[in-house]
Amino acid sequence: MVMLTWASFCICCCAVLLLVLDRECAGQKIQGVILTTSKDTRAFEKSIVSSLKHLVDVDTFYIVTPSATQLQEKVGKDLGPRVKFIDESIFPFDWRNISGVMIETVREKGVYPLTGKSQFEGTVWGRVGWFLQQLLKFYAGKVLNIGDYVLLDSDIVWFKDTKFINDTIVHNGVNTTRYYYASSSQYHAPYMATLKRISGMDLYKSPDTHRSGIAHHMVLSKHVLDDLMLTSEERYGGLPFWKILLNESALELTCRAPRNGICGAGSTLSEYELYFNYARQKFPETVQLRPLMWANGPAPGLQFWPSGDPPELKSDGPKSHWLGHRQHEIPRIMVLQMEADGAQGYDFVAYHGYGKRRYFELVDPDIDALCKDKPPPRNTTCSWRGYEDNPTVKATRTVSDWFEGCACYMATHQSG
């Protein structure tokens, strides 16, 4: 008979527990939430197809939109049962709540000159949809009755299989899921001002480099979000969390009062920044940072086409290196540029409708981690120019070979 020492018994128990947690994690799924409108349909169609293909641990995708029936009729039949269309009218607020609450908050403050035509009022009315979508994202879990979920911007297209669930750990005696988070170099002071007042916590003090949570997607853990809401509501005497968000956004917009101007160029709230910093400080056990190769822009229909005769390798930062096309050509060009981006090595690209070029917000340590062992581009323009129009090159080199190393080259040769 084999006798186990107490230490051996503990080691065996830990090993069994870790095996159980690993198995739980392997079969674990989360939900996805995407907000979209009719103006984003072109990018959204590509986005949802890529999400279904590459987001390996997302079970169901909830598409929240003001036109659920129309969108489902247009694209839903080809997407299958994992995609559910939700009309945003089922949420407890709409665009009228947004403008009314924000303007009334400033009126009660009594400092900013409200005239009915002030810059603040014009900004609120013009950006009401931008504020509304942030409330919808925060309340999606409650309204849809789902647990943890990943928010996904409707204009991002995924090119590689990507997981959001890192592992399950035991924290304070409770099984806790740790999720992967990408980050960016973005810094916008008004976001930091509002997150501090809303949550009572300052910006997370990173030991190495500033990291923003604005990376066009983010997992929201239910118990972290519930704690954020409860903590904020207690700080504000029971005021609903969504009103707190709007109140503080409105006050930050009017930070120059009694002058008529506004602060933050109209942007004073970021759901990604608020949650990311709160989770990293109060629930660090739920956050695992990971580098992803991603970029912003351009808008659908723009194609990287560097100048020069003969063409040569150049940065994709300048607007002048992106070629526009007529409306009837946009679907074809969009597919071509996305094929190029996938071959270049991107995990995802956010094809913003306002983008006139490509730009990066990767932090330097992530670029180093992603690109340190990548070979540089070889005899290429990192575009279809010089490939599609050169029969000799096309006959002797694959698309993958032509675009190899291009994402890292562009990330380290930014200009424009």
Side-chain angles (χ1 to χ4, degrees):
M1 182 176 180
V2 178
M3 299 295 294
L4 290 177
T5 65
W6 176 249
S8 298
F9 175 76
C10 290
I11 292 173
C12 289
C13 288
C14 289
V16 170
L17 178 59
L18 288 173
L19 179 61
V20 170
L21 292 177
D22 284 344
R23 287 178 176 174
E24 286 182 357
C25 187
Q28 189 177 355
K29 297 283 187 178
I30 59 172
Q31 312 307 311
V33 173
I34 303 174
L35 274 64
T36 191
T37 62
S38 57
K39 70 179 179 65
D40 295 325
T41 301
R42 185 172 277 141
F44 165 72
E45 291 183 39
K46 303 297 183 184
S47 177
I48 186 60
V49 170
S50 72
S51 296
L52 286 164
K53 179 179 180 181
H54 291 296
L55 303 186
V56 297
D57 49 14
V58 179
D59 182 18
T60 301
F61 294 87
Y62 294 88
I63 314 303
V64 180
T65 175
S67 52
T69 301
Q70 297 92 316
L71 189 60
Q72 184 170 9
E73 290 175 351
K74 183 177 181 180
V75 302
K77 63 181 181 299
D78 299 321
L79 299 177
R82 291 174 59 204
V83 179
K84 301 184 183 301
F85 292 85
I86 307 296
D87 200 289
E88 67 180 38
S89 63
I90 70 172
F91 284 74
F93 31 69
D94 60 22
W95 62 270
R96 288 163 293 200
N97 300 125
I98 308 300
S99 57
V101 168
M102 295 182 75
I103 291 173
E104 185 59 29
T105 295
V106 172
R107 179 177 287 112
E108 290 179 359
K109 184 78 171 179
V111 180
Y112 186 88
L114 295 172
T115 64
K117 297 181 179 180
S118 68
Q119 188 175 356
F120 165 72
E121 290 161 290
T123 299
V124 168
W125 292 323
R127 294 181 65 79
V128 66
W130 186 78
F131 286 106
L132 174 60
Q133 56 94 15
Q134 299 195 58
L135 304 189
L136 297 174
K137 290 176 181 177
F138 272 131
Y139 279 81
K142 292 182 180 295
V143 173
L144 301 175
N145 194 30
I146 56 179
D148 301 350
Y149 58 100
V150 57
L151 294 172
L152 302 159
D153 285 0
S154 65
D155 58 4
I156 60 176
V157 175
W158 298 88
F159 299 108
K160 296 180 182 179
D161 287 355
T162 303
K163 291 176 56 180
F164 296 111
I165 300 171
N166 178 20
D167 58 10
T168 300
I169 62 173
V170 177
H171 181 76
N172 292 334
V174 178
N175 288 0
T176 301
T177 303
R178 180 162 46 193
Y179 293 104
Y180 287 116
Y181 290 83
S183 58
S184 75
S185 61
Q186 187 173 143
Y187 184 90
H188 188 55
Y191 292 161
M192 307 309 165
T194 54
L195 79 82
K196 182 177 181 179
R197 295 197 298 269
I198 291 167
S199 68
M201 291 187 175
D202 207 343
L203 174 69
Y204 178 83
K205 298 298 190 297
S206 177
D208 52 0
T209 185
H210 164 71
R211 289 180 182 269
S212 164
I214 302 174
H216 310 302
H217 69 281
M218 179 172 289
V219 176
L220 301 189
S221 180
K222 183 180 184 301
H223 77 277
V224 177
L225 182 56
D226 286 347
D227 189 86
L228 170 59
M229 290 183 171
L230 179 61
T231 299
S232 301
E233 289 173 353
E234 288 178 346
R235 284 172 49 79
Y236 284 81
L239 190 68
F241 181 67
W242 67 271
K243 287 190 175 181
I244 297 171
L245 298 176
L246 296 179
N247 288 353
E248 291 301 344
S249 298
L251 295 176
E252 184 63 23
L253 279 172
T254 57
C255 73
R256 294 193 177 96
R259 288 178 290 175
N260 185 54
I262 60 168
C263 297
S267 299
T268 54
L269 179 67
S270 168
E271 75 282 29
Y272 291 139
E273 208 70 280
L274 176 57
Y275 180 92
F276 184 68
N277 283 278
Y278 191 81
R280 291 189 78 189
Q281 291 190 76
K282 196 168 182 181
F283 297 91
E285 69 279 2
T286 67
V287 177
Q288 177 63 55
L289 297 177
R290 58 114 173 256
L292 291 179
M293 176 56 71
W294 62 276
N296 295 286
L302 290 177
Q303 184 180 28
F304 181 50
W305 202 259
S307 58
D309 191 15
E312 57 186 30
L313 179 59
K314 295 181 179 180
S315 167
D316 62 2
K319 295 178 183 179
S320 59
H321 292 171
W322 290 89
L323 190 64
H325 294 80
R326 296 179 178 179
Q327 283 295 317
H328 72 276
E329 296 179 303
I330 287 178
R332 178 180 65 85
I333 296 302
M334 186 177 180
V335 169
L336 280 173
Q337 186 58 52
M338 289 179 178
E339 183 183 354
D341 292 340
Q344 288 185 55
Y346 290 102
D347 290 289
F348 72 88
V349 172
Y351 295 95
H352 306 314
Y354 56 81
K356 304 300 183 184
R357 62 181 182 92
R358 175 154 293 163
Y359 62 96
F360 293 83
E361 294 178 310
L362 300 172
V363 296
D364 289 340
D366 285 0
I367 295 177
D368 293 341
L370 291 162
C371 299
K372 64 180 179 181
D373 296 324
K374 291 288 191 299
R378 179 179 62 86
N379 298 327
T380 179
T381 64
C382 288
S383 75
W384 290 114
R385 190 176 185 207
Y387 185 85
E388 284 290 341
D389 53 354
N390 191 323
T392 301
V393 172
K394 196 172 181 180
T396 57
R397 298 184 64 179
T398 64
V399 171
S400 297
D401 177 58
W402 177 257
F403 286 105
E404 184 180 12
C406 288
C408 282
Y409 176 85
M410 296 303 172
T412 55
H413 293 77
Q414 302 175 39
S415 66

